[in-house]
Amino acid sequence: MEAPERFVMKTRRTLTGRGDKVLCMDWFKNKRRMVTSSQDGKVVVWDSFTTNKECTVAMNCKWVVACAYAPSGRVTACGGLDNKCFVYLPTFDKNENMAAKKKSVAMHTDYLSACSFTNSDVQILTASGDGTCACGTWRAGSCCSAFYGHATDELCLDLAASETWNTFFVGKM
């Protein structure tokens, strides 16, 4: 039997300046920008080519466990131990108060563990430690579908790419 081909990863750039552990990240589809969430209670949008922070938002809780970029790159979502998913439109104006522009989308009875936009900038799917998943629209600020059936924490989720974006997978504890 032949030995498997080795895949070697090489560091290209290092993004520095986070106050604590990074818990989640998501790339924008152009692979230039990314959003990170961390244990320091902040969500940061980065330019991965220049390694500059483009936008920083302080959240309500210290542990921001999940973050996601919308397909257009104009909207990001995040959440964590405060049991909520927030959506905000990043701005690159340093004088603008981003914390005031956050909009709550979903509220769970336990921590938010994952979030992902569907193939739309408006609809977002969330998973929680309460054993549920929810799908909602951030413009309405409400949940339009809830998914029950797991007795343990939902830790991660991913959408299956399709024309309708109506299938998702969750990983539980």
Side-chain angles (χ1 to χ4, degrees):
M1 188 170 193
E2 222 177 284
E5 185 178 328
R6 296 185 82 196
F7 180 72
V8 179
M9 294 180 73
K10 180 178 167 185
T11 302
R12 302 285 182 192
R13 291 173 189 84
T14 302
L15 306 177
T16 58
R18 294 305 314 238
D20 221 323
K21 296 174 187 167
V22 173
L23 301 173
C24 187
M25 60 91 43
D26 191 27
W27 285 98
F28 174 50
K29 66 183 174 184
N30 71 4
K31 303 300 183 205
R32 178 169 186 142
R33 287 199 172 105
M34 71 170 63
V35 62
T36 60
S37 62
S38 79
Q39 193 175 332
D40 66 3
K42 293 184 179 132
V43 177
V44 177
V45 174
W46 300 85
D47 181 323
S48 66
F49 292 3
T50 65
T51 71
N52 291 332
K53 292 180 188 177
E54 293 193 330
C55 177
T56 301
V57 180
M59 302 306 291
N60 297 342
C61 71
K62 283 290 184 192
W63 284 61
V64 185
V65 179
C67 62
Y69 235 127
S72 73
R74 292 189 303 260
V75 184
T76 56
C78 58
L81 296 187
D82 60 356
N83 307 348
K84 298 175 186 170
C85 179
F86 289 97
V87 171
Y88 65 94
L89 287 75
T91 180
F92 305 111
D93 178 358
K94 303 289 184 201
N95 298 320
E96 194 161 1
N97 181 4
M98 287 302 302
K101 292 188 155 199
K102 293 183 299 196
K103 190 163 188 172
S104 179
V105 178
M107 191 157 170
H108 292 275
T109 59
D110 206 340
Y111 67 95
L112 184 91
S113 58
C115 60
S116 181
F117 284 90
T118 62
N119 198 28
S120 154
D121 280 12
V122 177
Q123 195 172 50
I124 189 163
L125 183 64
T126 61
S128 171
D130 64 11
T132 66
C133 293
C135 187
T137 59
W138 65 267
R139 286 188 180 139
S142 63
C143 173
C144 50
S145 300
F147 305 93
Y148 304 93
H150 293 111
T152 59
D153 301 19
E154 301 291 356
L155 296 179
C156 57
L157 66 84
D158 198 11
L159 283 146
S162 69
E163 287 181 25
T164 58
W165 294 86
N166 63 357
T167 303
F168 68 94
F169 304 90
V170 292
K172 61 181 186 154
M173 189 178 285

